[in-house]
Amino acid sequence: MTSTDAGLPEVPQSDARTTGATRLPRLLLAVVCCAYAVGAATGWGSTAVAAFMGDFGLAGAALAASVSCLVRGCRVRGRARPAWLLFGTSSLMAALGNGTWGWYEVVLHVPVPYPSIADYAFLLFAPPAIVGLLVLAHRPHTPAGWVCLLLDGWLITGSLLTLSWSVALARIARGEEGSPLQLSLALAYPLLDILLVSIVLGLRFRGRDGNRTAVNTAILALAVTVISDALWTSPTLRNGYHSGEFLDAGWFAGSVLLAWAPWVPGRSRRRSGPLPDHPSMAGRRRAVSWFSALTPYLAAGVCTAALLYNTLGSRSMDRVVLVTACTVVLALIVRQGITLLDNISLAQELAQKEAHFRSLVQGSSDVIMIAGPDGVLSYVSPAALGVYGRDPAGLVGGRLLDLVHPDDSGHVLWEVRRFLAKGPGTEPSARVECRIRSGGGEWLHVESTINRYRDGLILNSRDVTERVRLQAQLQHNAFHDPLTDLPNRALFTDRVRAALSGVRGEGRTVALLFLDLDGFKAVNDTAGHAIGDELLVRAARRLQEAVRAEDTVARLGGDEFAALVAGRLDEDHVRDIAERLRTVLSQPYRLGGSELTVAASIGIAFAEPGAAPAELMRNADLAMYRAKSTGKDRVAVYSPELRADLARRTGLEQRLRGAVRDGRLTLLHQPVVDLVSGEVAAVEAQARWRSAQGLLLTPAEFLAVGEAGDRTARLARWLVRQSVAEAAVRWRGDRERGDREVPVAVRLPARRLVAPGVFETVEQALRESGLPPRRLILAVGGGPDDTLGGSLDELARRLAELRRLGVRVALDGFGTGPASLTWLRRLPVDVLRLDRSLVRGVAESAVSRTLVGHVLRLGRDLGLLTVAEGVDGPRQAAVLRELGCRHAQGLHFAGPLDDHRLRGVLLRRSLPVPGPGAPPSPRPPSTTLSEGCADRRRERVPRHHQVSDLPERRSIEGPHDETPVPPA
């Protein structure tokens, strides 16, 4: 039932539940009314009981109806509230009249005077009820509607007045003796009842609170009361009436019905839309419509019957009857005239709308067809010529299914039968897509909306061929790579899932190959992205030609491809396929007038029982990265150790992130000593990880050798920030004490320096800490395993930016491989750090001593300051000083120191060095490492050591070296 205006929540109920909920109250209501009727018919057993039940019984029933309606009126909202309040007031008047009547007859045992309070109370019963019905009535929306409503009301009222006057009221008016007040009271009561009946018959009502059943029950209660009043108006019944008679049962039933009316549950109605009409409901609405249309003529018939009653009787024609009948006839004539004009207007409007809709149908781009019950077309709109390319007249008379594609006819027939099997109210229309042959012989994709039309169907069809093609193209694009037209990741995953679900029997293998093009980034950087895209297209074509027809090749993104191989294959066969793919991809590509070459790293993963597509693809990815890490351009097969290695790296990543967050990383500093004076020229910051057992682990112990990624990047950023921050604190302390300022050296791998954000990190750290840039030395690590390929130019550019900022650059680990000379030639550096492997045998081996001497002489010729690493004994320090090495670092002087020990060393200012014996130093002993860098660069390099054709060397020898250091 829909919620009422009282604000109660909407509770959808079925008709069966509603019927069950109202059956018991109806039964009790019928029992009470029947019991009262039986008591009234038998005279209640005694005169006293009859008088009491005829007076106070009716008063109690009317009072109950009044209380029920008033309570309902207080609870509801909207226009229903005044209606229920008026019905309650009307019943209260009836209760007052019956109570007054009983006071005289039962309590005082005297005849009821005429007129009395009871007569006035009964007279006031009808007006509130009339106003309440008017509140609930449907109101016309046009002046003509109001005129017709008034005419219909007068037709009913006049007819009933004519009949009532002829039957009873005329005799009351002629036979009533007494004052005019008594005559008025005698006539007013039946006239008000006639008006009340006229409103009930002439108006249509609606439930303002959403419960039409309650309104209909209230109208029925008022109708029963009015019928009882009409019977009592008859002089025969009125003169012989006494309380407790059977006529009281009608008034009692009317009051009881009115008391129950506000609480009658209504029919279920869903908010989402009207329920399908039941045949009984449709018939009931048709009956109501017919009754409303015939009401004026029925009223005229009643008036005619009254005239015949007066004419055929042995009495003269009454003036009231004659005047009233004439006005009724006049009202009927006017009513018919208005109806005729209204029909003419409706016919014109209908003709206009028909012409309008005909023009819409004929001018519509959609094809409108009407088919009979046998499927034969009876109408085809002119749009068929433009849409189908067929003459509409030639289609009329043919069967609808003859136009449909044979493969779609069964589907169309099934949809039509399903649509017709449902009721008209359940599914107003259906939609079906099929192919229809055009006049040119091609099949068009058509979307049709089917509606019921009399006994057949009306179809509204449109050509959706372009939309179907676009949908197919969009679907293809959704599952294929736009560049190579290979399946993308989504479609490839579906193929892998299907292959895994189809693994049955021995000998059937599902293998997934992950391919990555080695060197593709260099092609993009050198030849451009257009050439790179064309290379990817050529590579995709080679892959498709190299695999079997039942295999699937996909592009997963960038330069990553994948191949799905399934069938009765062994591991060696799959390896042969992978090697063939690697060979095919590694062949040269002739693009843009040049020959380009890339390699391919391939990872293979075999499906295990119960494996998921994501797991298989992840295993192949791990195998591919293993192939890259072991030298590229090779094939690797997945093994569980790769997953364990991944888990180890992941756990290490998490622990390192936690160490940075929780402060478990710390810095140690190892002094760099002047071999002549023994003073500390610089300190090198070294990171340590404090383990849970309190041990300090070096990066080599918690990071794999050559490992790159987010872990080393995070460690490098932390090392730069922390080293600069602590160096700034020491620098401010040295300035306050007037001590010599000692720079800090930070060792970073070359691949970290070319990574994005390093320059910004250094610049931000210097700016936030206030450390002068000249007090920071970045040592670039390089060697045979870190050649960087095409990124060496990028490394030179980054180092030049750092030097322009004021930071000093050192080439770390010099002497470990042939790439050191290339780096020395191309990189702008200030300090040359000899690798410990070159220094290790300098005291024992003449060959090592000669090599170190040549390297030191090379550094002096290039104007670079030299630092020897790994000086662990006094003989090494003495030999290095003899060879002209200025600075050294190693366990002979001091190992990595914490803050407390470092402060002690810096306060002593010097560390023990071997005794004299070496040639005097060309520099004062108090020179620090950063000051020595500047002084060395100011020395004139001999002409035969200058490399004029290398712009990198000009950054050391030219005016750039004299760039002033920006203030801290």
Side-chain angles (χ1 to χ4, degrees), residues 384-401:
L385 183 61
V387 176
Y388 299 154
R390 307 183 68 168
D391 184 16
L395 296 177
V396 174
R399 297 180 68 251
L400 175 63
L401 291 180

Side-chain angles (χ1 to χ4, degrees), residues 397-458:
R399 297 180 68 251
L400 175 63
L401 291 180
D402 293 342
L403 305 175
V404 181
H405 194 282
D407 296 340
D408 299 339
S409 59
H411 171 66
V412 173
L413 190 60
W414 182 86
E415 283 288 343
V416 171
R417 288 176 176 175
R418 182 194 63 81
F419 172 65
L420 293 178
K422 295 186 177 182
T426 57
E427 188 174 357
S429 63
R431 183 169 295 179
V432 62
E433 290 191 15
C434 63
R435 286 167 289 178
I436 290 183
R437 185 187 297 274
S438 67
E442 62 178 349
W443 293 100
L444 303 177
H445 291 269
V446 175
E447 179 186 68
S448 300
T449 302
I450 305 175
N451 293 277
R452 293 175 177 85
Y453 179 74
R454 296 178 182 174
D455 295 333
L457 298 173
I458 181 169

Side-chain angles (χ1 to χ4, degrees), residues 220-522:
L220 177 62
L222 295 175
V224 171
T225 304
V226 171
I227 291 173
S228 300
D229 289 343
L231 293 176
W232 182 79
T233 305
S234 175
T236 304
L237 294 177
R238 182 177 181 182
N239 293 334
Y241 170 80
H242 60 82
S243 297
E245 286 189 354
F246 187 75
L247 186 59
D248 293 342
W251 286 313
F252 182 83
S255 298
V256 172
L257 283 173
L258 190 58
W260 184 59
W263 316 107
V264 177
R267 291 186 178 272
S268 171
R269 184 176 301 169
R270 300 183 185 273
R271 185 174 294 274
S272 59
L275 293 175
D277 293 339
H278 193 270
S280 62
M281 297 175 62
R284 189 179 309 165
R285 282 200 296 268
R286 286 195 297 268
V288 172
S289 300
W290 279 102
F291 178 77
S292 300
L294 294 177
T295 296
Y297 305 100
L298 294 176
V302 171
C303 182
T304 304
L307 290 175
L308 292 176
Y309 178 80
N310 279 273
T311 304
L312 298 178
S314 57
R315 61 179 66 86
S316 60
M317 180 65 66
D318 194 288
R319 293 182 179 179
V320 176
V321 174
L322 184 60
V323 172
T324 304
C326 290
T327 56
V328 169
V329 173
L330 181 61
L332 181 61
I333 294 173
V334 176
R335 180 70 168 81
Q336 284 300 106
I338 295 176
T339 303
L340 180 60
L341 294 176
D342 194 19
N343 289 339
I344 294 175
S345 176
L346 289 176
Q348 294 176 351
E349 184 179 356
L350 180 62
Q352 292 177 357
K353 289 184 177 179
E354 183 179 357
H356 175 69
F357 284 113
R358 182 179 297 277
S359 63
L360 288 179
V361 170
Q362 293 178 352
S364 174
S365 60
D366 294 348
V367 180
I368 300 176
M369 298 182 291
I370 299 178
D374 53 356
V376 176
L377 296 174
S378 60
Y379 174 79
V380 179
S381 66
L385 183 61
V387 176
Y388 299 154
R390 307 183 68 168
D391 184 16
L395 296 177
V396 174
R399 297 180 68 251
L400 175 63
L401 291 180
D402 293 342
L403 305 175
V404 181
H405 194 282
D407 296 340
D408 299 339
S409 59
H411 171 66
V412 173
L413 190 60
W414 182 86
E415 283 288 343
V416 171
R417 288 176 176 175
R418 182 194 63 81
F419 172 65
L420 293 178
K422 295 186 177 182
T426 57
E427 188 174 357
S429 63
R431 183 169 295 179
V432 62
E433 290 191 15
C434 63
R435 286 167 289 178
I436 290 183
R437 185 187 297 274
S438 67
E442 62 178 349
W443 293 100
L444 303 177
H445 291 269
V446 175
E447 179 186 68
S448 300
T449 302
I450 305 175
N451 293 277
R452 293 175 177 85
Y453 179 74
R454 296 178 182 174
D455 295 333
L457 298 173
I458 181 169
L459 297 92
N460 192 337
S461 307
R462 64 181 61 185
D463 182 11
V464 294
T465 304
E466 291 300 326
R467 191 193 70 184
V468 172
R469 291 174 181 172
L470 179 59
Q471 288 177 346
Q473 184 63 37
L474 291 176
Q475 186 176 9
H476 178 83
N477 294 343
F479 294 100
H480 289 78
D481 177 58
L483 178 63
T484 62
D485 203 39
L486 292 178
N488 60 9
R489 184 181 295 271
L491 181 57
F492 186 73
T493 304
D494 290 340
R495 298 275 179 88
V496 173
R497 184 179 294 106
L500 292 178
S501 63
V503 175
R504 297 290 185 273
E506 296 182 358
R508 181 172 175 82
T509 302
V510 175
L512 197 149
L513 283 64
F514 237 87
L515 303 92
D516 187 86
L517 300 182
D518 303 324
F520 176 74
K521 185 178 183 303

Side-chain angles (χ1 to χ4, degrees), residues 644-657:
D645 186 56
L646 176 63
R648 181 193 66 81
R649 293 198 305 269
T650 303
L652 181 60
E653 172 71 23
Q654 295 175 352
R655 292 196 302 273
L656 183 59
R657 187 183 296 110

Side-chain angles (χ1 to χ4, degrees), residues 74-348:
C74 293
R75 294 184 60 181
V76 298
R77 297 291 184 270
R79 293 185 179 180
R81 166 177 283 188
W84 289 115
L85 293 178
L86 289 168
F87 290 157
T89 304
S90 178
S91 297
L92 183 61
M93 295 296 102
L96 179 60
N98 286 303
T100 304
W101 200 288
W103 176 262
Y104 284 108
E105 284 189 342
V106 179
V107 179
L108 300 181
H109 299 286
V110 296
V112 180
Y114 184 74
S116 65
I117 298 177
D119 295 310
Y120 295 108
F122 288 141
L123 185 63
L124 293 176
F125 166 80
I130 292 173
V131 178
L133 291 176
L134 291 176
V135 170
L136 292 177
H138 285 283
R139 300 176 182 178
H141 300 287
T142 61
W146 280 104
V147 173
C148 291
L149 178 63
L150 295 177
L151 291 175
D152 291 344
W154 175 245
L155 285 172
I156 298 173
T157 303
S159 300
L160 293 178
L161 178 59
T162 303
L163 182 61
S164 301
W165 192 273
S166 300
V167 175
L169 295 183
R171 285 183 287 174
I172 294 176
R174 288 193 299 268
E176 190 69 37
E177 296 179 358
S179 63
L181 179 60
Q182 294 177 349
L183 178 61
S184 300
L185 290 175
L187 293 177
Y189 196 76
L191 291 178
L192 289 175
D193 285 342
I194 290 173
L195 182 59
L196 185 59
V197 172
S198 301
I199 291 176
V200 171
L201 295 177
L203 300 180
R204 290 181 296 168
F205 303 95
R206 54 185 167 183
R208 289 287 185 177
D209 60 350
N211 192 347
R212 182 179 294 275
T213 307
V215 175
N216 293 336
T217 305
I219 294 174
L220 177 62
L222 295 175
V224 171
T225 304
V226 171
I227 291 173
S228 300
D229 289 343
L231 293 176
W232 182 79
T233 305
S234 175
T236 304
L237 294 177
R238 182 177 181 182
N239 293 334
Y241 170 80
H242 60 82
S243 297
E245 286 189 354
F246 187 75
L247 186 59
D248 293 342
W251 286 313
F252 182 83
S255 298
V256 172
L257 283 173
L258 190 58
W260 184 59
W263 316 107
V264 177
R267 291 186 178 272
S268 171
R269 184 176 301 169
R270 300 183 185 273
R271 185 174 294 274
S272 59
L275 293 175
D277 293 339
H278 193 270
S280 62
M281 297 175 62
R284 189 179 309 165
R285 282 200 296 268
R286 286 195 297 268
V288 172
S289 300
W290 279 102
F291 178 77
S292 300
L294 294 177
T295 296
Y297 305 100
L298 294 176
V302 171
C303 182
T304 304
L307 290 175
L308 292 176
Y309 178 80
N310 279 273
T311 304
L312 298 178
S314 57
R315 61 179 66 86
S316 60
M317 180 65 66
D318 194 288
R319 293 182 179 179
V320 176
V321 174
L322 184 60
V323 172
T324 304
C326 290
T327 56
V328 169
V329 173
L330 181 61
L332 181 61
I333 294 173
V334 176
R335 180 70 168 81
Q336 284 300 106
I338 295 176
T339 303
L340 180 60
L341 294 176
D342 194 19
N343 289 339
I344 294 175
S345 176
L346 289 176
Q348 294 176 351

